[in-house]
Amino acid sequence: MLPKRESSSQSCDGDEQHGRHVTASKRRLSDHDDHLNQHPAKRASIFSRSHSPSLDRPIACGKSVSISISGMSGLVKSRPPKVLGIKSLSVKAAGPEEYYDRTWGELKAAVSAILQEKPVKASQEQLFTYVKNTCNQKMAPQLYNNLIDVIAAHVNKQISTFQVDTLDQGTFLRTIDGLWTQYCQQMVFVRSIFLTLDRTYVAQMGNVLRVWDASLGLFRKHIATHSTVFKRLCPAVLELVSRERQGEAVDRQLLSSLVHMLMALQIYAESFEGPFLADTDLVYAAEGRRLLIDQNMSLPEYLAHVDQRLKQEQERLNAYCDSSTKAPLITCVEKNLVAAHTPLIISRGLDDLLDSSRLRDLKLLFSLFERIDGCLDKLCKAFNDYIKLRGTAVVMDTERESSLVDDLLELKDKLDDIVEDCFSNQEKFVQTVKDAFEVVVNKRANKPAELIAKFVDLKLRAGNKGSTDEELDQMLDKVMMLFRFIQGKDFFEAFYQTCLAKRLLVGKSASVDAERSMLSKLKQECGPGYTNKMEGMFKDMELSKDISAGFKSVASRLDSDIELSVNILTMGHWPTFPTFEVHLLPQMVRLQDGFRSYYCSKFNGRKLTWQNTLGHCVLKASFKPGKKELQVSLLQTLVLCMFNNGDAFPYEQIQQVTGISDALELKRTLQSLACGKARVLIKEPKGKDVNTSDVFSFNKDFSHRLFRIKINQIQMKETQEENTNTAERVIQDRQYQIDAAIVRIMKSRKSLSHNDLLTECFGQLKFPVKASDLKKRIENLIDRDYLVRSDDNQTVYNYVA
């Protein structure tokens, strides 16, 4: 049983009976003390269980305490319980200095044990209480200074470990890493004991380091920056990094621990980062020169190497470098491996990558260049030069004019895929493709416009099988993309109008919907004025159907077995076709005269001009294998009808009977009948070319799997002369537009200098024009009295009202 504290009301001022009890109790307590003196262990046990005053609880003084002693059978003989009365005594408490001396001895022993890796006798809780009580008694400054002194003395002794010359580099690094790791663990324990010191004294002072920070400062001062260690530490760490960069396996955990030690000691930037970046700069500068110049490495291999190096450096950053090193380190690699060799990288293999569409390598190249300021501009310029080079080769190749549009579209699709997949569809690259293609398409004046128009004609012709309506519409959209690059859109208009006229007149248009879709695209791109004539052509065709239907009732009275269908063309809407007279069959002449009378009765004051070269017929022919229907042109019809009156005719007789005065047209007509796939005539002597000495006979044995056969209408193909005439017509129209623009400008401005007038004209004209051409038109207008030169200044023009 523990001794029980009784109430203080049992004082020593009681009656005599109480006094006798006190006397007896005193005697028995004296006997008990003698027994405890003989057995000190039992005394300690008793004090520990009776809450004896300890170092962490100062003794209370000046109080009257009554203690009842019972249950002491294990120490004294069993007797009846007695009450012991103790008078109040004045005991002087221990002062702060005395208490500090006792506690610091315990704390110092504990700290020394921790630093020496020995067991600590006192519990952590008891040590923490010592520190707390010391701080409460205003002894914290002394405690802090004594603690720092003990740690400093310990750290200072450790430098002797590194003053041995036999330590090799690996052992040296492992030793300092082990010392650092052990020291951090020890300081964590010490900090937990002296936590109250940090929370009170250090927090209140403001200019005093925490225990942990002070301990790091001591390690930095006595170990890390000591000349013996410092001169070997950073070079050894940098050598480990260098060996790792060369592909050698190193202890990355050791390397990481050492670098993080430098960070914790706040000497990372000055002792490691600077030399590390300088070494990196030298390594990669030499590596870039070696791979590109000395070893002549190919561009794909070099790009893959640079990408691998960047990944390795990123892993190195994540493993043991500070985040502040990331930007300068990556910049250092990019500068030496990419930026320093940008012109060489571009010239080494960019064109090859683009030619072979190596999208992965191009994407990697873009990602590397994107990191560095100014590199994308150089790549963009090189990309522009590539497009112009390849595009110009396509446009200027006169031997492959038939595939020019297909080649340009293929090149454009390829470049669009590269921009989208590899160059992140950046606006500057998108615009580069547009600018370069505009230069390419107009590199050869007017010819691409003509070829694009003929390409659309080929796609819209009947018999262009193998593509659906959706595919045809997509193709037209691609063609419109090329059309936007054309500066001389009036050339395209002229040739497209000619091709459209032939498709409509000979019925070779694949789809009216496709035709109108193309017109809609042109109208949307250039405005309604651009397609006004072409829309008028469609209206003429619709009106002609109504007129032909009305003529059928009149034709029945003409006693003719020939059905006549006429297309009425408004001259202002349709292009000009070559005309020449031919000798028509009498039945045809009667029908023509009848239609002219009918039309003039409907529309007074109009004049009809027959275009014999645009007519076509369907003939019924009898051959030995059977009857056939031949779909031929009017000129082919006149030639074939001669063989109703004979079996063979020479070239000159055919020319005389048919009246086809154009020798070239006659030869092409005979060639289509005798030398094509459907040879309804036989030419003697045999050959592909037609000569004036040839003789033609009817092929009675002609056979074909089809009943209605369309003879190739070679005469409908544009000749060089027709192309020249179309071009000349466009040039003439341009002169009219230039004249109109000059007069319009001068009429509003009244007086202008030569240069100002040229500037105004360039702004208003929608086609490319040279200054010399404008000057010629100005001189022409002066001769025609539209303009006069100023008397004061010959370079100033005045408008003549």
Side-chain angles (χ1 to χ4, degrees):
M1 292 285 295
L2 292 175
K4 295 181 180 179
R5 291 184 180 181
E6 299 296 339
S7 174
S8 60
S9 60
Q10 297 175 351
S11 66
C12 57
D13 296 332
D15 56 14
E16 293 179 358
Q17 183 180 357
H18 288 169
R20 287 194 300 269
H21 286 299
V22 170
T23 304
S25 296
K26 286 182 178 180
R27 188 166 51 250
R28 294 190 183 96
L29 184 58
S30 177
D31 296 339
H32 177 59
D33 289 341
D34 295 337
H35 177 76
L36 291 179
N37 288 333
Q38 297 175 2
H39 302 279
K42 291 184 179 181
R43 174 184 289 272
S45 176
I46 292 173
F47 272 98
S48 64
R49 280 179 285 174
S50 61
H51 303 285
S52 60
S54 63
L55 292 175
D56 55 346
R57 293 188 63 184
I59 301 173
C61 305
K63 290 184 180 179
S64 175
V65 181
S66 296
I67 303 176
S68 173
I69 300 177
S70 62
M72 305 291 289
S73 59
L75 301 176
V76 297
K77 295 180 180 179
S78 177
R79 293 175 181 174
K82 300 295 182 181
V83 177
L84 174 64
I86 303 176
K87 289 184 178 182
S88 178
L89 301 175
S90 296
V91 181
K92 186 177 180 180
E97 293 79 5
E98 182 182 355
Y99 178 74
Y100 176 78
D101 292 338
R102 291 199 303 269
T103 57
W104 170 243
E106 293 286 343
L107 292 170
K108 181 178 180 181
V111 171
S112 299
I114 293 171
L115 294 175
Q116 296 173 14
E117 295 292 316
K118 294 180 180 180
V120 180
K121 296 180 179 180
S123 66
Q124 185 176 357
E125 182 180 1
Q126 188 177 22
L127 296 173
F128 182 86
T129 305
Y130 290 163
V131 175
K132 181 177 180 182
N133 290 335
T134 302
C135 293
N136 291 337
Q137 294 185 19
K138 311 301 182 182
M139 301 296 292
Q142 187 175 351
L143 177 63
Y144 180 86
N145 293 331
N146 289 342
L147 174 63
I148 298 303
D149 291 341
V150 171
I151 299 174
H154 169 76
V155 174
N156 196 28
K157 292 179 182 179
Q158 306 304 314
I159 193 61
S160 60
T161 307
F162 304 99
Q163 292 176 336
V164 181
D165 296 334
T166 57
L167 285 177
D168 58 43
Q169 179 175 298
T171 306
F172 170 79
L173 292 177
R174 284 190 294 272
T175 301
I176 193 170
D177 178 61
L179 177 61
W180 164 254
T181 304
Q182 184 185 60
Y183 182 73
C184 288
Q185 294 171 353
Q186 293 168 350
M187 288 302 104
V188 169
F189 194 6
V190 171
R191 181 179 59 176
S192 65
I193 295 173
F194 291 86
L195 188 59
T196 305
L197 196 62
D198 280 342
R199 291 177 175 177
T200 57
Y201 171 67
V202 175
Q204 292 171 2
M205 295 302 293
N207 59 348
V208 178
L209 295 176
R210 294 178 299 175
V211 173
W212 174 261
D213 295 333
S215 65
L216 295 183
L218 293 173
F219 193 92
R220 177 174 61 247
K221 176 181 178 182
H222 297 287
I223 301 294
T225 60
H226 191 278
S227 59
T228 304
V229 175
F230 190 76
K231 68 181 181 181
R232 295 187 63 186
L233 176 59
C234 290
V237 174
L238 290 173
E239 184 177 346
L240 273 183
V241 175
S242 177
R243 286 163 53 192
E244 185 186 33
R245 280 178 174 156
Q246 295 172 6
E248 185 177 342
V250 299
D251 189 347
R252 178 169 278 193
Q253 185 176 1
L254 172 63
L255 191 57
S256 175
S257 178
L258 292 171
V259 174
H260 282 89
M261 178 190 73
L262 298 177
M263 295 180 196
L265 298 177
Q266 299 181 358
I267 57 174
Y268 171 83
E270 62 187 47
S271 63
F272 176 78
E273 186 179 46
F276 172 68
L277 293 176
D279 186 60
T280 302
D281 189 76
L282 293 174
V283 167
Y284 286 118
E287 185 173 285
R289 290 192 299 269
R290 184 181 74 254
L291 296 178
L292 278 177
I293 299 175
D294 299 340
Q295 297 182 10
N296 199 24
M297 180 180 283
S298 67
L299 181 57
E301 292 176 340
Y302 185 75
L303 294 176
H305 176 79
V306 173
D307 184 55
Q308 182 64 28
R309 279 302 200 188
L310 287 170
K311 291 179 180 177
Q312 290 174 356
E313 294 301 330
Q314 186 62 53
E315 292 176 359
R316 193 166 289 115
L317 282 167
N318 297 334
Y320 51 76
C321 287
D322 187 64
S323 58
S324 63
T325 311
K326 178 178 180 180
L329 176 62
I330 298 300
T331 300
C332 181
V333 180
E334 294 168 349
K335 179 189 71 174
N336 289 287
L337 294 184
V338 181
H341 306 287
T342 300
L344 184 59
I345 291 173
I346 291 175
S347 62
R348 175 65 58 85
L350 177 61
D351 289 359
D352 294 336
L353 296 183
L354 292 171
D355 284 338
S356 55
S357 295
R358 300 187 63 164
L359 302 183
R360 181 180 177 184
D361 293 329
L362 287 170
K363 188 173 184 178
L364 178 57
L365 175 65
F366 175 81
S367 66
L368 294 175
F369 276 26
E370 191 178 22
R371 299 167 175 261
I372 307 167
D373 293 339
C375 282
L376 276 188
D377 294 335
K378 296 178 182 178
L379 177 61
C380 194
K381 183 181 182 303
F383 188 51
N384 186 288
D385 294 340
Y386 169 83
I387 298 172
K388 290 179 181 178
L389 180 64
R390 295 295 185 267
T392 301
V394 172
V395 172
M396 302 303 292
D397 189 355
T398 56
E399 296 181 357
R400 297 193 57 184
E401 287 185 351
S402 59
S403 63
L404 181 141
V405 179
D406 284 316
D407 293 342
L408 285 178
L409 291 176
E410 182 181 355
L411 178 61
K412 182 64 167 56
D413 289 340
K414 171 184 173 181
L415 295 173
D416 287 343
D417 291 340
I418 289 174
V419 171
E420 182 177 358
D421 297 339
C422 304
F423 298 159
S424 300
N425 220 18
Q426 276 202 8
E427 181 60 29
K428 64 169 63 177
F429 287 92
V430 174
Q431 190 61 41
T432 292
V433 174
K434 293 180 181 178
D435 295 342
F437 251 84
E438 184 174 358
V439 174
V440 165
V441 171
N442 296 284
K443 199 76 173 179
R444 190 176 173 190
N446 305 323
K447 193 63 178 179
E450 173 191 342
L451 296 176
I452 292 172
K454 292 180 179 179
F455 178 83
V456 177
D457 173 62
L458 180 64
K459 295 299 179 183
L460 293 178
R461 278 181 177 272
N464 181 33
K465 300 179 181 179
S467 60
T468 62
D469 293 341
E470 291 78 8
E471 293 173 343
L472 179 59
D473 192 65
Q474 291 176 1
M475 178 59 68
L476 294 179
D477 287 336
K478 292 182 178 181
V479 172
M480 287 304 299
M481 175 270 301
L482 289 181
F483 172 78
R484 293 186 186 98
F485 299 131
I486 297 175
Q487 293 177 351
K489 291 182 172 58
D490 50 348
F491 260 86
F492 175 89
E493 178 188 7
F495 283 100
Y496 184 79
Q497 186 181 10
T498 301
C499 295
L500 174 63
K502 292 181 179 180
R503 291 197 303 273
L504 294 177
L505 292 177
V506 300
K508 297 198 67 174
S509 180
S511 168
V512 176
D513 292 337
E515 296 282 4
R516 293 193 177 278
S517 174
M518 185 62 188
L519 278 185
S520 177
K521 296 178 189 297
L522 292 173
K523 185 175 182 179
Q524 184 178 3
E525 188 67 29
C526 301
Y530 191 81
T531 58
N532 184 43
K533 292 182 179 180
M534 289 177 270
E535 290 176 344
M537 294 164 64
F538 279 94
K539 292 179 181 178
D540 286 346
M541 296 300 294
E542 294 175 358
L543 182 60
S544 297
K545 291 180 181 179
D546 297 336
I547 295 175
S548 296
F551 176 70
K552 284 185 179 180
S553 60
V554 178
S556 61
R557 297 196 298 269
L558 297 178
D559 190 22
S560 175
D561 57 350
I562 300 177
E563 295 183 5
L564 177 64
S565 177
V566 181
N567 292 321
I568 310 298
L569 313 181
T570 304
M571 290 187 64
H573 295 164
W574 296 79
T576 302
F577 296 101
T579 59
F580 51 84
E581 294 295 331
V582 294
H583 298 163
L584 297 177
L585 300 177
Q587 302 94 318
M588 293 182 179
V589 174
R590 286 199 303 271
L591 282 174
Q592 279 190 358
D593 293 340
F595 182 83
R596 182 181 289 106
S597 299
Y598 170 79
Y599 183 79
C600 292
S601 66
K602 294 287 185 182
F603 305 96
N604 293 326
R606 295 188 179 181
K607 180 182 178 181
L608 293 179
T609 302
W610 295 94
Q611 293 285 349
N612 296 317
T613 56
L614 301 179
H616 60 278
C617 305
V618 176
L619 298 180
K620 294 181 180 179
S622 298
F623 302 95
K624 286 184 179 180
K627 294 183 178 182
K628 301 289 182 181
E629 288 186 358
L630 305 179
Q631 186 173 346
V632 291
S633 68
L634 177 61
L635 301 183
Q636 290 173 324
T637 300
L638 297 179
V639 172
L640 290 176
C641 286
M642 288 182 60
F643 292 91
N644 287 329
N645 301 320
D647 293 334
F649 297 96
Y651 173 87
E652 293 181 352
Q653 186 177 359
I654 293 175
Q655 185 178 27
Q656 182 180 3
V657 172
T658 60
I660 303 176
S661 58
D662 189 334
L664 181 61
E665 193 68 37
L666 178 58
K667 288 181 179 180
R668 283 160 51 190
T669 300
L670 292 172
Q671 188 179 22
S672 65
L673 296 173
C675 304
K677 292 182 179 179
R679 300 184 180 184
V680 294
L681 298 181
I682 300 175
K683 184 177 78 71
E684 292 293 342
K686 295 181 179 181
K688 293 182 179 181
D689 297 328
V690 175
N691 299 313
T692 56
S693 60
D694 292 342
V695 177
F696 298 88
S697 59
F698 185 68
N699 185 8
K700 299 179 180 180
D701 298 325
F702 174 77
S703 62
H704 200 278
R705 61 184 181 84
L706 299 177
F707 176 71
R708 174 170 286 192
I709 304 165
K710 183 183 293 185
I711 306 293
N712 291 332
Q713 299 177 10
I714 298 178
Q715 80 282 358
M716 292 301 297
K717 294 184 178 179
E718 282 195 331
T719 63
Q720 183 62 38
E721 181 181 357
E722 290 175 332
N723 291 340
T724 302
N725 292 336
T726 302
E728 290 178 351
R729 188 175 74 251
V730 174
I731 293 174
Q732 185 65 42
D733 290 341
R734 285 185 175 183
Q735 292 181 357
Y736 296 149
Q737 293 181 50
I738 293 173
D739 291 349
I742 294 173
V743 172
R744 185 168 54 249
I745 293 168
M746 292 302 301
K747 187 175 182 179
S748 62
R749 303 294 294 274
K750 302 303 181 184
S751 180
L752 271 180
S753 66
H754 179 77
N755 292 334
D756 291 341
L757 180 57
L758 294 186
T759 303
E760 293 270 2
C761 289
F762 287 136
Q764 289 194 13
L765 296 174
K766 297 181 180 180
F767 51 84
V769 60
K770 298 178 181 179
S772 58
D773 295 334
L774 289 178
K775 186 177 180 180
K776 290 179 182 179
R777 299 317 305 164
I778 292 173
E779 295 292 340
N780 182 267
L781 290 173
I782 292 175
D783 294 340
R784 291 157 59 191
D785 295 332
Y786 282 92
L787 305 176
V788 293
R789 295 183 185 274
S790 174
D791 295 334
D792 300 332
N793 189 347
Q794 292 294 305
T795 61
V796 176
Y797 305 111
N798 295 326
Y799 177 70
V800 178

